[in-house]
Every structure is written in structure tokens, then in C-alpha cells.
Amino acid sequence: MRKREKFGSRLGFILVSAGCAVGLGNVWKFPYMCGRYGGAAFILIYLVFLVILGFPIIICEFSVGRGSQKSCAASFKELEVKGAKWHNYSYFCIAGNYLLMMFYTMVSGWMMYYCYRCAAGEFTNTILTAAEVQSKFNAMTTSPGTLILWTVISILLAFGICSRGLKKGVEKITKVMMICLLVLIAVLAVHSVILPNAMEGVKFYLIPDFNSIADNGIGNVVFGAMSQAFFTLSIGIGSMAIFGSYLGKDRSLAGEALSIGILDTFVALMAGLIIIPACFSFGIEPDAGPSLIFITLPNIFNQMAGGRIWGTMFFLFLSFAALSTVIAVFENIISFAIDLWGWSRKKSVLVNIIAIIILSMPCIFGFNILSQLQPLGTGSNIMDLEDFLVSNNLLPIGSLVYLLFCTTKNGWGWDNFIEEANSGKGLKLSHKVRWYMTYILPFIVVAIYLKGYYDMFSPKGTVYMVSWFGAAVIFLGIIFRLAFVRSKN
């Protein structure tokens, strides 16, 4: 049996795991969610949900990984009771990681391309209107050649790092990237808050105004904060479990999960401190939504003194955030073949380079050649479908599976889970949270899952919504059946 690789240091584990959690959701979605739902008041609610939602589930993932010493492709089968069917979820985990990379590698390429464009002075040589910046973004997405080139660069760079192994590649490179990311974000935040009139944005961001919750609707704000807290840690498809499998038993998992959660939250908060004061300084609404990164912000850098430098630094920071996630998920994908079929790391890397490049093509062509395909209704594209399958389905359902697997007798069981989670020095998970994790938290996860379906499909009409909502309930039923029905053997 091949000896399992281990992290070289605790810092390496924390930074690599945080690199997986720190993604574009932190630096794109979080700031505009703050802008949409009232700034500081939203942040306070978000932090509460991060503790009561994200913290327990990430401990579950780490525990399953460390307890099994396997990736999600084999961990459930290693730990489940005899005759149980939890291992069937492994196929969903595997599919989730590939689906995520089918569009995330392209978005990672976007970030690197925009970093190159800023460095080349494309957004700062002349005064550009918002429409002109929009046209530059459209020119990128409608060019298959440009998208393929930068997607392949992202894939080759990330797999090249993973090919060097855990310590020499993933840990060594990601540590440097994450440290550079933290330095960049600190410099950018300081620069942002000293811009003219930026303090109004700082006040909006850091001083709670609870009237804003009522203005936006309490339910909308609470579910928005809940969903963001839930998705920010990238839990549910085994992306964290793989790093648990590389971890020794000298430290408790609750303490490590807390460190990763704090680092992930720090990046999200600092990203908001970069973007929101800058928006206020230049009179731009901070709730610009998905266009904030690629259209609104380049226009801000265009107007800013030294904008070429600051724009390049910002998109370099985004490139590190995206690439750290790609590297982490690629490590998980590489481990599937190693755990299931005993492949060498080199063989798994070579096969998966080809596989990911091919699988990324539908998403790329969805912006140009296949733009007529709108699988989720008018205005959608293939990327929207892939993101929907991962973010609105596999992440919440996977989190539910990990929770129930760790807390029910037909799974791994609470006693085995808590023993694994609390092994080693550091913060311990209390036995008192068992009832909450077994009954209350799964209910919250199901509520988030179904609310996500409602929010997406209710504007499209009753028939459309009922059809998709029914599909969600059926999918949920299938997952529960796979999880709880024992074999007849």
C-alpha cells in the first residue's frame, strides 16, 4: 500500500485549506452582497451563520478525511458500517469536483487575462466609458480562442504545481501564493480607504444600520447571509476532506477549522474594504452584482491615480485567490485515481490535464459558439447550469450527507466522529452540540437548498418553478435513500 503523504507543517495545512476556501465568492460575491443588503448589519448576521453553519460542517469533512486517510472517492466506504450505502455519494463528490473545474478554470483564466490587460495599460491609457469597458469584457467572452488559451494556461499551471507532490508542490507553492495574497489585500485595502470620500464607504461597511435590514426585507437579508456563510468554505464535495486525509493527529480539528474560517473571513472582509470604499469614492453603487469585478472595477481603476498599478495588483490578488482554489480541487481530483485504482501521481496528472481541458470546452463555447443554448431559461448559459448543479445542489446536499454520516448510527456514528475530531491538542468540539448537529443543522441545510431553488425559478413562472422544485425534492429523496438504506446482504 502506498504511504499517505502528509503536510510538512501546520501552517501549510491551514494555508492550503484556506486557499481552497478562499475563492472568488469571497472577493466578488461577498462585497456586492454587503452592498445589496446594507453593509455592516449584513456582515454581523453573516458571521453568526458562519459559526453555526460552516464551522460544524467543515469539522465533519476534515474528520472523514483524516479518519479514512482517503479522498472522498473512497472515504465513505472506508468508514461506513457494513451494509450501508453511504459510499454511493462518492460518485456525486467526484462529479462535483469535475463540474466545478469545468467552469472555474475558465474564470481563473479570466482573472489572469485581466491582470495581463491591466499591466499592459489597456484600461488606463484612455478615458473609457462604462459601455466601452463592457464591450472589452464582451470581446473576451465572445472569443473562443482567447478563452481557450487562458483556460489552458490556468489548467497547466495548477496541474504543474500538483504534479510536484503535496509538500514540494501544493503546500510549498500555495503557501507563497497565500502569503502574497494577504500582503496584496492589505496594501489594496489601505489604498482604498484613503481615497477621497472613501470614509463614507467605510462607515457603510463597518457601522451597522439595522434599518437597512427592514428596508431590504428581513427574510432576504437573513437568507442571503445564511447562504453566503454556507457556501464560502467550499464544503460538501470533499474539497476539504482531502486535506484532512493528509493531516496528522497531533492537533484537534475544531481548532484547525477555526483558524481556516478566520482566515477565509478575513479575506472576505478585506475584499469588501477594498471594493466598497472605492465604489463610494467614485460614486458607483456597491451592489453592482456580478458585473462588479469585470466592468465596474476596471472603470474605477481607469479613473484612479496610478490605476494601472492598482488594477494589476487587484487582478493579481484575484488570480491568486482563484488559482489557490483550482490547485486544491485538482489535488482532490488527482487523488481519486490514486485511491480508487492505485495510479501514480504522474499518470493521474497527465490523464486529468486532457480530461479537464476537454470538459472545459462546453462552458467556453457557451459564451460564443453555443450561446443559443439557455438551459436555465432566457439569459442563462452553460456556465450557469454547471454553477447551479454545484452551488445549488451538490454543495448543500453534500454538506447534509457529511453531517448525517458523522452523527447517525447507520453512518460513521457520533462517537467515532467526535473521537476523531477531538484527537490532538487544541480546541475541542463539545458533546453538547450533538443534538444540534443531528437534527437542527440538517433542517437548516435543507431549507437553504430549497430556498435556493425557489429564488432561482420563481421569477420564471409557476409551472417552471414547480417543475424544478419537484426535481429538487426528488433529488433530495434519492440522496436520503442512498444514505440510509442498507444492503440486503
Side-chain angles (χ1 to χ4, degrees):
M1 180 180 291
R2 184 183 286 108
K3 187 177 179 181
R4 195 73 174 174
E5 289 186 86
K6 298 293 181 186
F7 280 104
S9 66
R10 182 190 178 201
L11 178 63
F13 164 72
I14 291 173
L15 290 178
V16 171
S17 299
C20 181
V22 170
L24 300 178
N26 297 71
V27 295
W28 157 62
K29 189 175 181 181
F30 182 80
Y32 91 71
M33 289 282 282
C34 287
R36 176 180 297 173
Y37 291 125
F42 171 83
I43 293 174
L44 290 177
I45 300 172
Y46 161 79
L47 292 174
V48 170
F49 281 119
L50 189 67
V51 173
I52 66 176
L53 287 178
F55 184 63
I57 299 174
I58 196 173
I59 295 174
C60 289
E61 269 213 37
F62 280 146
S63 297
V64 170
R66 190 170 74 172
S68 65
Q69 293 292 289
K70 303 285 185 183
S71 69
C72 62
S75 57
F76 290 101
K77 191 170 185 178
E78 186 77 17
L79 299 176
E80 68 186 358
V81 297
K82 186 177 181 180
K85 296 291 185 179
W86 296 89
H87 62 273
N88 287 293
Y89 181 70
S90 297
Y91 300 109
F92 290 94
C93 274
I94 293 171
N97 282 269
Y98 277 100
L99 268 171
L100 178 60
M101 290 298 99
M102 285 165 65
F103 66 89
Y104 207 93
T105 50
M106 181 191 69
V107 178
S108 176
W110 285 1
M111 300 303 168
M112 289 188 283
Y113 182 44
Y114 259 67
C115 182
Y116 162 76
R117 295 173 87 178
C118 283
E122 188 170 332
F123 297 106
T124 52
N125 287 340
T126 58
I127 301 300
L128 301 175
T129 66
E132 288 172 328
V133 178
Q134 171 80 63
S135 69
K136 286 179 177 290
F137 176 76
N138 293 340
M140 176 187 71
T141 58
T142 55
S143 170
T146 300
L147 293 183
I148 290 172
L149 173 63
W150 288 93
T151 300
V152 170
I153 290 174
S154 172
I155 291 170
L156 293 179
L157 187 58
F159 268 126
I161 292 168
C162 290
S163 69
R164 295 174 57 83
L166 179 66
K167 287 184 182 179
K168 294 181 180 179
V170 176
E171 182 178 357
K172 183 177 181 180
I173 303 300
T174 304
K175 278 168 66 174
V176 174
M177 285 175 55
M178 287 299 293
I179 291 170
C180 290
L181 183 153
L182 294 173
V183 171
L184 280 170
I185 201 171
V187 172
L188 287 164
V190 170
H191 174 262
S192 186
V193 299
I194 62 175
L195 290 171
N197 303 317
M199 289 311 297
E200 290 302 313
V202 174
K203 291 176 183 177
F204 171 83
Y205 191 57
L206 298 180
I207 300 176
D209 176 11
F210 293 102
N211 291 327
S212 64
I213 297 177
D215 294 340
N216 289 283
I218 295 175
N220 291 332
V221 176
V222 168
F223 265 102
M226 187 186 295
S227 299
Q228 180 64 19
F230 181 75
F231 292 119
T232 188
L233 294 173
S234 303
I235 43 182
I237 55 173
S239 300
M240 287 296 179
I242 183 62
F243 300 120
S245 74
Y246 295 143
L247 191 61
K249 294 182 181 287
D250 55 321
R251 301 289 306 185
S252 68
L253 295 176
E256 307 302 81
L258 181 63
S259 298
I260 292 162
I262 290 172
L263 190 54
D264 177 78
T265 303
F266 172 78
V267 172
L269 293 174
M270 292 294 282
L273 202 57
I274 294 170
I275 294 171
I276 290 179
C279 286
F280 272 77
S281 179
F282 289 93
I284 294 173
E285 290 297 322
D287 61 346
S291 65
L292 187 65
I293 292 295
F294 296 108
I295 298 169
T296 306
L297 285 174
N299 209 30
I300 289 177
F301 295 129
N302 179 46
Q303 303 172 57
M304 187 183 295
R308 182 173 180 174
I309 296 173
W310 296 112
T312 302
M313 289 177 64
F314 180 76
F315 281 103
L316 180 61
F317 152 60
L318 289 182
S319 298
F320 285 155
L323 196 60
S324 65
T325 300
V326 173
I327 292 168
V329 178
F330 276 178
E331 177 63 23
N332 206 18
I333 287 173
I334 290 167
S335 72
F336 295 157
I338 294 174
D339 288 345
L340 290 176
W341 306 309
W343 286 10
S344 68
R345 176 175 287 268
K346 182 178 179 180
K347 180 179 179 179
S348 185
V349 166
L350 291 174
V351 170
N352 278 294
I353 284 175
I354 298 170
I356 296 294
I357 289 175
I358 293 172
L359 290 171
S360 298
M361 291 302 109
C363 180
I364 290 172
F365 294 146
F367 286 90
N368 36 77
I369 298 173
L370 301 177
S371 60
Q372 72 277 10
L373 294 179
Q374 301 180 0
L376 297 179
T378 304
S380 67
N381 54 40
I382 294 172
M383 177 180 169
D384 294 326
L385 175 63
E386 292 171 350
D387 185 26
F388 168 71
L389 291 173
V390 176
S391 299
N392 291 70
N393 288 278
L394 294 176
L395 290 181
I397 290 297
S399 297
L400 181 65
V401 170
Y402 272 103
L403 267 174
L404 296 176
F405 181 69
C406 290
T407 57
T408 59
K409 292 181 180 179
N410 193 42
W412 191 23
W414 174 264
D415 291 338
N416 291 323
F417 159 67
I418 200 71
E419 181 182 356
E420 182 64 49
N422 288 340
S423 294
K425 300 177 181 179
L427 182 67
K428 309 295 183 184
L429 189 65
S430 172
H431 283 269
K432 294 179 181 179
V433 301
R434 179 178 184 175
W435 193 85
Y436 166 73
M437 288 181 62
T438 306
Y439 300 107
I440 302 299
L441 190 48
F443 173 79
I444 296 174
V445 173
V446 170
I448 293 173
Y449 173 58
L450 296 179
K451 179 66 163 56
Y453 263 77
Y454 177 81
D455 288 345
M456 174 165 285
F457 295 112
S458 59
K460 301 179 185 297
T462 303
V463 174
Y464 205 83
M465 185 193 72
V466 170
S467 299
W468 279 97
F469 201 78
V473 174
I474 292 170
F475 184 65
L476 196 61
I478 292 171
I479 292 297
F480 273 107
R481 181 174 177 81
L482 289 175
F484 289 111
V485 175
R486 286 176 176 268
S487 168
K488 294 181 180 179
N489 297 329

